[in-house]
C-alpha cells in the first residue's frame, strides 16, 4: 500500500480502555459500533489496553487483572484502596507511576495509528493519554468518557483533556469543580450503550409493566 493510499483511508479513533471491569470494555464497544454505523468510510476505531493488554507492563498487568477477583472476594479492601487513592497525595503518586509504566503502550499506539482523536474510557488512563499528547505540537483530540454513575474516582478529571463526557449533570459539576474544566467542554450525554441493549418498548404502559416486572419504580 502506498503512502497516498494510506492517507486516503479512514482516520483512526484510539479507544483507551482496560479489562478491569465490564463497563469500560462495553463502553468502548458501544463507541466502536456507533462510529462504524455513522462513519463507515471516514473513521475507524482501534482499541488500546495499556493496563491489562498484551503490551501492558508485566507488573501493571498482573495487578490490574486482580481487580475483578478483588471486588468479588474482598469488597471492603477494594473500598479502602478506592478511597486511599482518591485522596490527593496517593492519587498523585498513582498517576506518576502510571505515567511511567502506561505511557509507553499509548505512545506506541499513537505512533502506529496516527489517530485523529483519543478517547479515555478508564480513570487511570486520562492523565497518561494527556502526557503522551503533550503540549508542544498539535496532537490528537482527547476526550474522557466517564463510565461511573455514582461516586467517580477523581482520576477521571484532568484539565488537559479537550472534552469530558459524563452520565449525569452532578458528575459534570464535580468535574468542573475538581479540575476546573470549562462548562463548554463538558457534555452530559450518558454512558455509551451497545446497540443490542438499546431497543425496548416505546409505549409508556409497556415500559411501566416492564419496570414493574423488574421491581423498579
Amino acid at each position: 500500500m502506498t503512502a497516498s493510499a494510506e492517507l486516503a483511508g479512514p482516520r483512526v479513533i484510539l479507544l483507551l480502555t482496560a479489562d478491569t471491569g465490564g463497563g469500560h470494555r462495553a463502553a468502548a464497544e458501544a463507541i466502536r459500533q456507533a462510529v462504524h454505523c455513522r462513519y463507515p468510510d471516514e473513521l475507524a476505531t482501534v482499541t488500546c489496553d495499556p493496563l491489562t493488554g498484551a503490551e501492558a507492563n508485566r507488573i501493571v498487568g498482573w495487578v490490574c487483572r486482580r481487580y475483578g477477583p478483588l471486588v468479588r472476594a474482598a469488597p471492603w479492601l477494594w473500598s479502602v484502596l478506592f478511597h486511599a487513592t482518591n485522596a490527593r497525595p496517593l492519587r498523585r503518586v498513582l498517576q506518576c507511576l502510571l505515567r511511567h509504566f502506561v505511557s509507553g503502550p499509548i505512545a506506541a499506539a499513537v505512533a502506529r495509528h496516527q489517530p485523529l482523536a483519543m478517547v479515555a474510557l478508564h480513570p487511570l488512563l486520562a492523565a497518561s493519554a494527556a502526557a503522551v499528547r503533550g503540549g508542544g505540537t498539535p496532537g490528537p483530540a482527547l476526550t474522557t468518557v466517564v463510565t461511573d454513575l455514582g461516586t467517580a474516582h477523581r482520576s477521571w478529571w484532568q484539565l488537559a483533556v479537550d472534552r469530558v463526557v459524563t452520565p449525569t449533570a452532578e458528575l459534570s459539576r464535580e468535574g468542573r469543580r475538581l479540575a476546573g474544566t470549562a462548562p463548554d467542554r463538558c457534555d452530559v450525554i450518558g454512558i455509551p450503550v451497545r446497540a443490542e441493549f438499546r431497543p425496548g418498548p416505546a409505549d409508556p404502559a409497556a415500559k411501566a409493566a416492564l419496570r414493574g416486572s423488574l421491581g423498579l419504580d
Side-chain angles (χ1 to χ4, degrees):
M1 181 180 291
T2 65
S4 59
E6 290 179 348
L7 291 174
R11 298 297 306 274
V12 168
I13 306 296
L14 187 63
L15 304 178
L16 304 174
T17 187
D19 282 330
T20 59
H24 305 298
R25 180 67 67 174
E29 175 61 18
I31 293 175
R32 187 201 66 78
Q33 285 183 349
V35 169
H36 178 72
C37 179
R38 298 184 185 187
Y39 309 101
D41 301 319
E42 296 88 356
L43 298 174
T45 58
V46 172
T47 300
C48 174
D49 182 347
L51 294 179
T52 61
E55 296 184 7
N57 174 272
R58 183 167 55 87
I59 297 175
V60 171
W62 185 90
V63 172
C64 290
R65 281 190 286 272
R66 268 68 190 167
Y67 177 87
L70 174 67
V71 171
R72 292 190 294 271
W76 63 270
L77 181 55
W78 170 86
S79 179
V80 169
L81 293 173
F82 178 94
H83 291 290
T85 57
N86 212 21
R88 180 176 295 181
L90 280 182
R91 188 171 75 253
R92 287 183 172 178
V93 171
L94 176 64
Q95 290 179 350
C96 286
L97 288 173
L98 287 170
R99 279 196 294 270
H100 179 75
F101 289 109
V102 173
S103 296
I106 298 177
V110 170
R112 186 181 308 121
H113 301 289
Q114 296 294 305
L116 179 67
M118 294 188 289
V119 182
L121 294 131
H122 194 285
L124 301 184
L125 298 178
S128 296
V132 167
R133 183 177 66 165
T137 58
L142 177 56
T143 295
T144 298
V145 177
V146 180
T147 58
D148 291 332
L149 282 170
T151 302
H153 198 279
R154 293 189 178 188
S155 294
W156 280 113
W157 318 118
Q158 302 294 328
L159 182 60
V161 306
D162 298 305
R163 304 201 72 81
V164 179
V165 175
T166 64
T168 65
E170 181 181 359
L171 284 177
S172 179
R173 289 191 296 270
E174 181 178 352
R176 295 199 299 269
R177 178 177 62 84
L178 294 175
T181 306
D184 61 356
R185 290 163 58 193
C186 297
D187 299 293
V188 184
I189 58 176
I191 292 177
V193 177
R194 292 184 306 233
E196 53 265 38
F197 290 100
R198 288 199 300 268
D203 178 72
K207 286 184 177 181
L210 179 59
R211 285 195 296 269
S213 71
L214 297 172
L216 303 173
D217 59 25

